[in-house]
Each structure stands twice: as C-alpha cells, then as structure tokens.
Amino acid sequence: MSDDPFDHIPATALRPFAVDAGQPLFRRDDRPTALYRVDAGRVALHRVTEDGQRVTIAQIGPGETLAEASLFADTYHCDAIALTETRGVAVDRAVLRQRLRSDPDFAEALVRRLALQVRTERQRAEIMSIRSARDRTFAALACFGQSGTITAFAASIGLSQEACSRALAELVAEGRVMRLGRGRYACRSVPPR
C-alpha cells in the first residue's frame, strides 16, 4: 500500500493547476470542486472578520494539501490566495468521496496524511502561544525549519518580518542558530533542510 493517497486516484481525476502570486485558487463561498496539493509555491488561507480585518488562518507549502474540509461542505470557508507563483494538482472532489467509500487503502492513506497535518497544526498552535518573539522563532525553526523567505516564515508564526529578523539576529549572536546565507537560517542542533 502506498502512503501517498494520490497514488490511488486515476489520472483523469488529477488536474494540474498554476496560479500567479496574488491570484486566488478559490474564494470563500465558492462551490467546492477539488482538494488541492501544492507542489511548488505557497498559498495563504484568509478569512475576513466581522470588523473587516483579513486574518491568515494557514499557509500551505510544497507537499501540503488544502481544502480538505470542503470534501464535506457546500462552500469553501475561506479565500485561498497564492503568495508566490504556485503550482500543484487539483483532485476532483467527487472522485475523492467515491474513493473514501470504496477503497480502504486510499481511505487509510488519506486519513494518515490528514492526521499528520493535524499534528503539525497543533505544533504550530503551541508555538504561536509562546509570547517571546525570540523563543517563538527558535521553537518554529527547530520544529519546522525555514522553508521560505524570512517574511513568509515570520507570517507563518504570527510575527512581523522585523520582529522575526531581530529574533534571528539575537539567536545567531547566542550561537543557537546559524546563518546559512542571505535570509536563510537553521538551528545548530537541527540539520539544515
């Protein structure tokens, strides 16, 4: 059995997509048609609060999926906006639902993938509860590494780019973090990605 649930999906149900930076993959209240896997780039999931503030609820990067909840919803619950040029695969929602009912290997692989994503998001929520920018930055770097720019990394942990940069400079000075190159950092105790 393959651990990748998408290996169980017929090619006819997989549609490549490409979205330019700043463009939507889908909008809140659109009718769901697919679950998406990002192969390159980053997508932000945004909601607008009652007072009109746009809130980022998640950032999705290479190897991750989005719109999982839409498998069982009538509409998308947020906007998905490409932060960078993004490409990946849209997986037909109807085929996914049919596979869940008929293919135990697929269902197990998808549940395993979703469970891993839930665990990762719980780790991220725990990190987000750390008040100190320096400690939050170190915890996120140790747990997830830096997969994009400092700006994207900072946003993924709820910090401004400036606060994250200051925290990284402090961590480098303390010897806990090493600078790999312009805008690239890793914990000394964790091998660079």
Side-chain angles (χ1 to χ4, degrees):
M1 175 183 73
S2 169
D3 282 340
D4 186 350
F6 303 109
D7 289 346
H8 298 268
I9 301 295
T12 55
L14 304 174
R15 178 181 47 86
F17 73 85
V19 182
D20 291 332
Q23 296 302 306
L25 187 55
F26 56 80
R27 293 281 187 188
R28 180 181 177 166
D29 296 329
D30 286 351
R31 184 173 172 79
T33 59
L35 178 146
Y36 298 88
R37 183 188 70 210
V38 173
D39 294 333
R42 291 196 77 70
V43 175
L45 301 181
H46 297 293
R47 283 197 191 139
V48 177
T49 64
E50 287 184 17
D51 62 351
Q53 292 187 29
R54 188 172 82 169
V55 177
T56 299
I57 57 174
Q59 287 189 24
I60 313 304
E64 297 176 313
T65 59
L66 65 145
E68 303 87 355
S70 67
L71 286 174
F72 304 101
D74 294 329
T75 61
Y76 290 117
H77 65 91
C78 61
D79 294 331
I81 308 296
L83 295 173
T84 63
E85 185 178 318
T86 303
R87 64 178 172 74
V89 177
V91 186
D92 184 271
R93 177 181 186 243
V95 172
L96 285 171
R97 290 181 60 139
Q98 183 278 324
R99 286 290 176 155
L100 281 169
R101 291 187 294 273
S102 66
D103 184 342
D105 288 342
F106 167 75
E108 183 176 334
L110 184 61
V111 168
R112 183 179 294 114
R113 180 186 193 98
L114 296 178
L116 178 61
Q117 286 183 201
V118 167
R119 186 176 74 201
T120 299
E121 287 310 309
R122 286 182 178 157
Q123 287 174 318
R124 190 176 312 281
E126 183 178 346
I127 288 167
M128 294 285 284
S129 71
I130 299 171
R131 294 183 63 95
S132 157
R134 183 179 58 75
D135 293 343
R136 185 186 305 179
T137 299
F138 182 77
L141 203 56
C143 189
F144 302 117
Q146 181 190 355
S147 62
T149 65
I150 291 176
T151 302
F153 177 69
S156 75
I157 58 172
L159 295 174
S160 68
Q161 186 271 332
E162 294 81 11
C164 187
S165 292
R166 280 192 303 272
L168 287 165
E170 291 173 16
L171 291 164
V172 168
E174 293 170 9
R176 296 174 68 196
V177 166
M178 60 185 157
R179 187 169 185 234
L180 303 176
R182 183 180 165 102
R184 303 287 307 150
Y185 297 87
C187 290
R188 289 208 178 269
S189 59
V190 178
R193 289 183 174 194

